[in-house]
């Protein structure tokens, strides 16, 4: 399905019936990374996944993206998917950066948050410069640049070969403009740490025990700063904990969702 946001088409998919749960993907992947969760969760919930501009099946945005334009995209997809009640929002890594911005802008539209393998702190000056340099490199050389440098950081060396292949395919499917735009948007993202103490909805923080990009210490800090937040550390998983330990991630997610229903 498609919705036009700021003049550009955005692809999204809806499955299942019930309370709405929307998933925001990591960089530089796409909605397909959520397939194991959609299969599991859509048995009892209405799941919504989307491809951010320039990723998966969505063409790049006409204007350079920002965290706020990604939030507008998420809000437009919720509307197009006829989600007119507060939704559970699940984001991994860049998806989490976007959800913290979403919560700042539209707290009334959030039923609960799942923040996986992400951080609230902004980039260091060095990380910011690296992103800007990588954006230039990808515009010239394409996504291959990222496949070789990022896959070893996204998954542990023990990850399943099929998962590794799927991750590589998703990165290759991203457009140069989408990647560069996301890198620049992430480099410019604000400090979300002050937002954490304003979060009043139920929150689950998940992290792979072997996540080197957004390590468990980062997740612990976030969980401590958000009142009442739960923390789930998934041992044996790297950064893409939802793909590397699908069973554990799905179990934690479903338990959290089911508990919301009874709260
Ligand atoms: C992601 O998985 O979305 C990225 O690692 C986020 C980032 O580069 O900060």
């Amino acid at each position: 399905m498609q919705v036009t946001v700021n003049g550009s088409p955005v692809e999204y998919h809806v499955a299942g019936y019930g309370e709405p749960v929307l998933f925001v993907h990591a960089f530089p992947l796409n909605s397909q990374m959520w397939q194991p969760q959609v299969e599991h969760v859509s048995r009892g919930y209405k799941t919504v996944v989307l491809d951010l501009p320039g990723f998966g099946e969505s063409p790049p945005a006409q204007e350079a993206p920002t965290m706020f334009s990604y939030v507008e995209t998420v809000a437009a997809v919720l509307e197009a998917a006829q989600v007119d009640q507060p939704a559970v929002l699940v984001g991994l890594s860049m998806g989490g950066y976007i959800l913290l911005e979403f919560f700042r802008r539209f707290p009334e539209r959030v039923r609960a948050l799942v923040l996986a393998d992400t951080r609230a702190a902004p980039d260091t000056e060095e990380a910011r410069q690296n992103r800007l340099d990588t954006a230039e490199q990808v515009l010239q050389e394409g996504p291959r640049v990222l496949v070789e440098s990022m896959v070893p950081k996204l998954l542990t060396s023990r990850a399943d070969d099929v998962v590794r292949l799927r991750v590589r395919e998703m990165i290759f499917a991203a457009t140069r403009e989408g990647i560069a735009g996301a890198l620049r948007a992430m480099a410019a993202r604000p400090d979300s740490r002050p937002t954490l103490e304003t979060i009043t909805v139920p929150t689950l923080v998940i992290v792979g025990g072997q996540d080197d990009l957004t390590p468990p210490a980062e997740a612990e800090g976030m969980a401590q700063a958000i009142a009442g937040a739960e923390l789930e550390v998934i041992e044996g998983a790297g950064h893409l904990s939802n793909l590397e330990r699908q069973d554990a991630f799905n179990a934690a997610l479903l338990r959290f969702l089911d508990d919301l229903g009874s709260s």
Side-chain angles (χ1 to χ4, degrees):
M1 282 179 273
Q2 227 177 55
V3 59
T4 301
V5 188
N6 295 328
S8 299
V10 170
E11 285 287 330
Y12 69 97
H13 302 276
V14 180
Y17 297 93
E19 299 292 316
V21 185
L22 176 138
F23 295 83
V24 186
H25 65 79
F27 170 88
L29 307 183
N30 59 54
S31 59
Q32 288 180 24
M33 69 168 266
W34 295 115
Q35 196 188 342
Q37 285 67 50
V38 167
E39 276 174 20
H40 195 69
V41 167
S42 65
R43 291 178 206 150
Y45 295 86
K46 172 173 172 171
T47 59
V48 184
V49 294
L50 68 143
D51 289 330
L52 290 165
F55 297 95
E57 295 174 60
S58 296
Q62 291 175 10
E63 306 263 314
T66 60
M67 283 297 127
F68 183 58
S69 72
Y70 288 147
V71 164
E72 289 180 307
T73 301
V74 171
V77 166
L78 282 171
E79 260 165 51
Q82 295 176 330
V83 175
D84 42 25
Q85 69 203 87
V88 180
L89 304 179
V90 184
L92 191 141
S93 201
M94 178 176 76
Y97 307 161
I98 295 168
L99 292 189
L100 289 169
E101 179 77 19
F102 191 99
F103 186 83
R104 276 196 288 276
R105 305 286 181 147
F106 303 116
E108 72 287 354
R109 300 181 72 169
V110 184
R111 165 75 179 97
L113 284 170
V114 180
L115 301 170
D117 301 280
T118 191
R119 58 161 50 92
D123 284 352
T124 61
E125 200 40 56
E126 188 190 349
R128 198 169 289 142
Q129 193 53 52
N130 273 341
R131 287 201 203 271
L132 301 181
D133 294 346
T134 308
E136 287 305 317
Q137 209 187 343
V138 171
L139 283 175
Q140 285 171 22
E141 298 170 38
R144 178 175 296 278
V145 172
L146 287 184
V147 173
E148 304 314 331
S149 64
M150 277 199 82
V151 175
K153 296 182 191 156
L154 296 174
L155 300 165
T156 71
S157 58
R158 297 169 65 186
D160 189 287
D161 283 345
V162 175
V163 167
R164 194 177 305 281
L165 189 64
R166 290 296 302 120
V167 169
R168 291 174 65 94
E169 282 172 357
M170 281 188 263
I171 301 177
F172 274 124
T175 63
R176 297 177 184 212
E177 297 78 10
I179 293 171
L183 283 165
R184 290 172 180 153
M186 287 192 286
R189 75 185 191 282
D191 186 353
S192 288
R193 285 171 296 190
T195 305
L196 300 179
E197 62 193 38
T198 70
I199 296 177
T200 48
V201 295
T203 301
L204 172 63
V205 178
I206 303 183
V207 67
Q210 285 67 48
D211 182 349
D212 291 334
L213 286 179
T214 47
E218 198 81 47
E220 278 162 29
M222 287 178 68
Q224 274 166 15
I226 302 171
E230 295 172 44
L231 174 67
E232 180 81 26
V233 181
I234 299 183
E235 288 306 333
H239 187 60
L240 298 176
S241 58
N242 73 307
L243 286 174
E244 200 163 349
R245 287 284 324 276
Q246 301 176 9
D247 50 347
F249 193 101
N250 286 348
L253 177 59
L254 201 58
R255 182 189 42 72
F256 178 71
L257 293 174
D258 289 349
D259 283 354
L260 285 176
S262 55
S263 68

